[in-house]
């Protein structure tokens, strides 16, 4: 590390022997903003990332159709008016190449690249109790010492593959969708298999179907989805958006998910069935997550309300798929709408009307093995040239588990979190001093940049507080952490999503310990405003629950 000189003022002279005052792991949406704030303060800090370049999720996920489901303008960083005034999002929901370009633009505009180091995969992080410093060891043997570590490792950054017999013997090309080859792969005229029907698959299936000779989709469980209703943003639209930015960010701050969409506060049972239908017809045709987040709150809590709305969406699917038997197979029967993360789609259901697309139920006829020629299920063989595994991620804790993090007394973070994350405010972990997480597990993280800015804008003054008081070390109170976990658990109660087979509850059939029923409290369900209020109260109370030395 020594060869890289970073020209900032060392704000803390007695720490001059350390490589850095702060190391941020991850040069994605959160890490970029965090280094901006620390660079502005003149802190000797660096961002390290395992990838060859910045962007995190948007660097990795390059599959056809990849785009976010947040309105582009709510995905903007809000910290710079100049940035907001100069950036033109070209579509309501920006595609991956444009988002990556945006993150590069921000980094270059604020001259942040000089603080970033790539190809740095952290293998272990050990806390030295005597000196209160972290030593990070990289996979190439280099070591970095720092007083503080801040993680910006994302929530869905470790792809998970199935363990099918014979996967390595496949003679064609196969990869996880999150590792889509950087050299564009031409699928024209190819026979392609997609395993999975989550948000990733639902975006890529319509795109692949347009060019492939044959597309076979292996669906284990059908997934609810609703139209994205994307559209271009003209110059005049963008001018209006720029005028509205303050209003937009204020609305995001007020809403539970960090979007402009706010729940319909009329009671589900207080309006007539016709009025409910009127709302749903309107939302189905509108862009974005309105259909999920502007709906009646009872949809998330009340089986009967949820069933009525799910029936509505099922009818919409029936209206879009020509073959009634196929439509039924695309309608989830095991869970209601919105209790898993709802994928937004563009022509997903119509894709199944194409002659070159086949749906295989891998629940009824499970994938038995991968052969050199393709996929064998319990009752048929499918010869294919390409297999895309859109099989999900080791959500929230996966990126941490991939680093051997050792805190006080050599305690390993992966052991502490073996049965699910335990944090204080999704930001601290007791026994892991001087360690801070941006949008960690158990934070309110729906619209990612909104959660990331909240995190960074809280962590930065926290560090300033430490420095201004001459503190070298912080850790968290046992009771504060226990009470936070209790509160996080409480927030799952009464929500239908607590029974979901989804990464919201830590389910992942490809990971040991993540079986259905082994609940992991991954997210904070109390909503963004409540989470922000709690953060601010803790800060106002002299960082209640945190011990300083
Ligand atoms: P996912 O939602 O976890 O879906 C994984 C899919 O693979 C599921 O259909 C799952 O079936 C199937 N699967 C997994 N292992 C399997 C196996 N061994 N055999 C057969 N099928 C298997 O993953 P994802 O689609 O990558 O999405 C994850 C999250 O990333 C999303 O919820 C979203 O938050 C984010 N994302 C966002 C966007 C966006 O903003 N537009 C786009 C993509 C992803 P089961 O349902 O039966 O488990």
């Amino acid at each position: 590390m020594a060869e890289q000189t970073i020209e900032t003022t060392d704000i803390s002279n007695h720490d001059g022997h350390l490589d850095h005052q702060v190391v941020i792991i991850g040069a994605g949406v959160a890490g970029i903003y965090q280094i901006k704030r620390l660079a502005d303060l003149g802190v000797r800090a660096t961002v390290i990332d395992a990838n060859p370049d910045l962007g995190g999720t948007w660097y990795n996920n390059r599959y056809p159709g990849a785009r976010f489901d947040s309105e582009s303008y709510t995905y903007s960083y809000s910290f710079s008016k100049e940035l907001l005034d100069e950036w033109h999002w070209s579509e309501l929901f920006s595609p991956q190449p444009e988002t990556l370009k945006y993150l590069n633009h921000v980094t270059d505009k604020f001259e942040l690249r000089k603080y970033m180091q790539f190809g740095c995969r952290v293998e272990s992080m050990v806390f030295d109790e005597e000196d209160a410093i972290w030593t990070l060891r990289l996979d190439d043997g280099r070591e970095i010492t720092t007083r503080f570590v801040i993680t910006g490792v994302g929530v869905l950054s470790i792809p998970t593959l199935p363990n099918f017999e014979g996967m390595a013997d496949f003679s064609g090309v196969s990869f996880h969708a999150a590792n889509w080859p950087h050299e564009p792969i031409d699928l024209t005229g190819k026979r392609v298999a997609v395993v999975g029907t989550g948000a990733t698959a639902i975006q890529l299936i319509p795109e692949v179907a347009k060019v492939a000779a044959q597309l076979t989709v292996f669906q284990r469980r059908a997934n609810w989805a609703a139209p994205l209703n994307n559209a271009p943003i003209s110059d005049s639209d963008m001018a209006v958006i720029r005028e509205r930015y303050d209003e937009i960010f204020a609305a995001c701050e007020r809403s539970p998910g960090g979007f402009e969409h706010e729940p319909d506060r009329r009671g589900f049972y207080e309006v007539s069935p016709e009025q409910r239908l009127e709302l749903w017809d309107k939302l189905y045709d509108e862009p974005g997550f309105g259909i999920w987040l502007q709906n009646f709150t009872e949809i998330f809590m009340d089986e009967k309300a949820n069933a009525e709305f799910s029936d509505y969406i099922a009818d919409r699917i029936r209206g879009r798929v020509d073959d009634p038997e196929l439509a039924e197979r695309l309608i989830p029967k095991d869970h209601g709408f919105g209790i898993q993360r709802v994928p937004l789609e563009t022509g997903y259901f119509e894709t199944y009307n194409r002659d070159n697309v086949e749906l295989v139920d891998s629940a009824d006829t499970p994938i038995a093995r991968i052969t050199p020629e393709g996929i064998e299920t319990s009752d048929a063989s499918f010869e294919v040239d390409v297999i895309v595994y859109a099989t999900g991620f080791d959500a929230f804790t996966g990126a941490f588990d991939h680093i051997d993090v050792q805190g006080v007394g050599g305690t390993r973070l992966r052991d502490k979190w073996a049965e699910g994350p335990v944090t204080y405010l999704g930001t601290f972990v007791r026994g892991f001093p001087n360690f801070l997480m941006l949008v960690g597990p158990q934070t309110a993280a729906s619209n990612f940049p909104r959660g990331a800015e909240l995190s960074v804008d809280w962590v930065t003054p926290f560090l300033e507080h430490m420095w201004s008081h001459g503190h070298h070390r912080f850790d968290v109170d046992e009771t504060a952490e226990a009470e936070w976990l209790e509160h996080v658990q409480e927030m799952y109660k009464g929500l239908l999503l607590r029974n979901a087979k989804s990464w919201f509850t830590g389910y992942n059939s490809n990971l040991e310990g993540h079986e259905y029923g082994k609940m992991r409290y991954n997210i904070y369900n109390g909503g963004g405003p409540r989470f922000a209020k709690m953060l601010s109260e803790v800060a106002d109370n002299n960082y209640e629950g945190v011990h300083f030395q």
Side-chain angles (χ1 to χ4, degrees):
M1 287 297 93
E3 65 276 14
Q4 179 132 358
T5 314
I6 289 171
E7 288 181 21
T8 51
T9 321
D10 179 1
I11 62 152
S12 180
N13 290 329
H14 48 261
D15 283 339
H17 66 286
L18 294 175
D19 293 329
H20 300 285
Q21 181 65 219
V22 181
V23 169
I24 302 161
I25 306 177
V29 171
I32 292 171
Y33 180 43
Q34 183 62 79
I35 192 63
K36 162 85 176 79
R37 291 291 310 268
L38 293 179
D40 287 349
L41 291 172
V43 177
R44 201 153 47 87
T46 187
V47 186
I48 58 174
D49 197 299
N51 281 337
D53 206 348
L54 62 90
T57 285
W58 300 109
Y59 180 84
N60 291 326
N61 285 271
R62 293 164 184 248
Y63 59 83
R67 64 178 71 245
F68 44 61
D69 292 337
S70 308
E71 282 73 10
S72 303
Y73 46 83
T74 71
Y75 211 88
S76 302
Y77 290 111
S78 69
F79 65 81
S80 161
K81 176 149 180 12
E82 198 181 293
L83 176 64
L84 291 168
D85 282 345
E86 73 192 12
W87 184 260
H88 185 141
W89 292 104
S90 67
E91 296 179 51
L92 276 182
F93 302 92
S94 164
Q96 175 269 338
E98 183 171 313
T99 308
L100 187 58
K101 197 168 147 201
Y102 173 71
L103 295 176
N104 275 277
H105 171 76
V106 175
T107 302
D108 292 336
K109 177 178 174 66
F110 298 104
E111 298 180 4
L112 303 174
R113 204 175 284 272
K114 64 188 176 205
Y115 306 113
M116 297 178 175
Q117 305 177 65
F118 299 104
C120 298
R121 183 174 298 283
V122 185
E123 244 176 18
S124 71
M125 272 175 53
V126 179
F127 186 68
D128 172 342
E129 287 171 58
E130 199 169 321
D131 292 331
I133 60 170
W134 283 99
T135 301
L136 282 68
R137 176 173 270 269
L138 307 185
D139 65 353
D140 58 10
R142 286 180 291 169
E143 286 191 347
I144 312 175
T145 53
T146 179
R147 176 72 64 205
F148 301 101
V149 173
I150 303 179
T151 61
V153 292
V155 295
L156 295 154
S157 39
I158 304 291
T160 47
L161 283 167
N163 303 308
F164 300 135
E165 181 192 321
M167 275 170 72
D169 304 328
F170 180 56
S171 62
V173 181
S174 67
F175 44 81
H176 192 286
N179 297 324
W180 196 275
H182 284 215
E183 285 301 316
I185 171 166
D186 186 7
L187 298 179
T188 314
K190 296 273 185 346
R191 297 163 303 171
V192 181
V194 173
V195 181
T197 49
T200 300
I202 282 175
Q203 286 189 328
L204 74 85
I205 284 167
E207 297 304 316
V208 172
K210 286 177 196 163
V211 294
Q214 175 66 30
L215 169 62
T216 312
V217 177
F218 292 82
Q219 169 185 275
R220 190 167 60 182
R221 287 188 311 137
N223 208 343
W224 295 104
L228 177 66
N229 295 317
N230 191 20
I233 297 181
S234 67
D235 286 350
S236 58
D237 295 339
M238 199 63 221
V240 174
I241 290 167
R242 287 197 186 104
E243 287 296 311
R244 286 186 56 238
Y245 263 129
D246 285 348
E247 187 192 317
I248 289 167
F249 292 128
C252 292
E253 251 177 61
R254 279 195 311 270
S255 80
F259 295 92
E260 268 199 295
H261 311 288
E262 292 189 53
D264 195 306
R265 300 289 179 191
R266 296 174 299 165
F268 183 94
Y269 297 107
E270 282 161 26
V271 300
S272 65
E274 292 71 31
Q275 286 171 305
R276 296 201 279 271
L277 214 56
E278 197 183 322
L279 174 71
W280 296 339
D281 279 345
K282 174 176 153 299
L283 294 178
Y284 199 81
D285 293 335
E286 283 181 357
F289 277 134
I291 193 75
W292 192 26
L293 305 178
Q294 266 171 257
N295 219 314
F296 302 100
T297 52
E298 286 85 346
I299 303 282
F300 299 98
M301 291 176 282
D302 177 323
E303 298 271 8
K304 193 164 155 263
N306 183 278
E308 185 180 316
F309 180 59
S310 301
D311 285 347
Y312 169 85
I313 297 286
D315 275 344
R316 287 295 201 140
I317 296 171
R318 290 183 187 107
R320 292 172 58 184
V321 180
D322 297 343
D323 174 351
E325 187 266 332
L326 183 54
E328 289 312 311
R329 289 161 58 208
L330 288 164
I331 296 170
K333 304 292 189 304
D334 71 322
H335 67 283
F337 184 97
I339 71 160
Q340 296 180 185
R341 199 287 207 173
V342 176
L344 296 181
E345 45 83 27
T346 304
Y348 175 68
F349 293 106
E350 288 78 4
T351 298
Y352 292 95
N353 297 333
R354 299 177 65 110
D355 292 338
N356 67 334
V357 178
E358 181 179 3
L359 181 71
V360 175
D361 284 306
S362 66
D364 295 345
T365 55
I367 295 174
R369 66 188 58 80
I370 308 297
T371 65
E373 295 76 34
I375 297 184
E376 216 172 272
T377 67
S378 56
D379 78 343
S381 294
F382 300 84
E383 285 192 10
V384 295
D385 306 305
V386 178
I387 303 176
V388 180
Y389 295 104
T391 44
F393 296 87
D394 187 353
F396 284 100
T397 49
F400 295 93
D401 287 349
H402 272 64
I403 303 173
D404 183 11
V405 184
Q406 296 180 36
V408 172
T411 303
R412 292 192 148 84
L413 186 61
R414 61 167 78 113
D415 291 341
K416 175 159 177 159
W417 285 3
E419 286 172 11
V422 182
T423 76
Y424 177 45
L425 301 166
T427 307
F428 305 95
V429 188
R430 177 176 158 75
F432 296 82
N434 296 2
F435 176 74
L436 293 152
M437 299 176 291
L438 303 175
V439 201
Q442 304 178 341
T443 48
S446 314
N447 193 1
F448 195 81
R450 306 279 56 84
E453 282 195 344
L454 177 69
S455 254
V456 172
D457 288 339
W458 195 85
V459 157
T460 310
F462 172 80
L463 286 175
E464 284 184 277
H465 173 91
M466 289 215 52
W467 290 319
S468 66
H469 288 76
H471 299 315
H472 266 67
R473 182 187 195 274
F474 67 79
D475 201 348
V476 176
D477 189 68
E478 191 171 359
T479 316
E481 192 178 68
E483 284 176 359
W484 178 251
L485 181 62
E486 209 175 298
H487 175 60
V488 169
Q489 291 173 343
E490 189 67 29
M491 292 294 103
Y492 272 79
K493 283 189 187 150
L495 291 178
L496 298 174
L497 71 76
R498 65 169 291 113
N499 297 319
K501 274 185 157 179
S502 135
W503 57 268
F504 287 179
T505 55
Y507 164 77
N508 184 321
S509 69
N510 304 311
L511 289 171
E512 218 176 293
H514 291 245
E515 295 80 13
Y516 183 59
K518 285 193 176 170
M519 182 76 171
R520 295 168 73 91
Y521 294 92
N522 276 345
I523 50 180
Y524 180 70
N525 287 312
R530 187 168 181 171
F531 181 65
K533 185 163 173 274
M534 292 173 93
L535 282 179
S536 121
E537 282 169 1
V538 167
D540 291 346
N541 287 332
N542 215 10
Y543 297 105
E544 193 179 8
V546 183
H547 298 301
F548 297 101
Q549 276 172 19

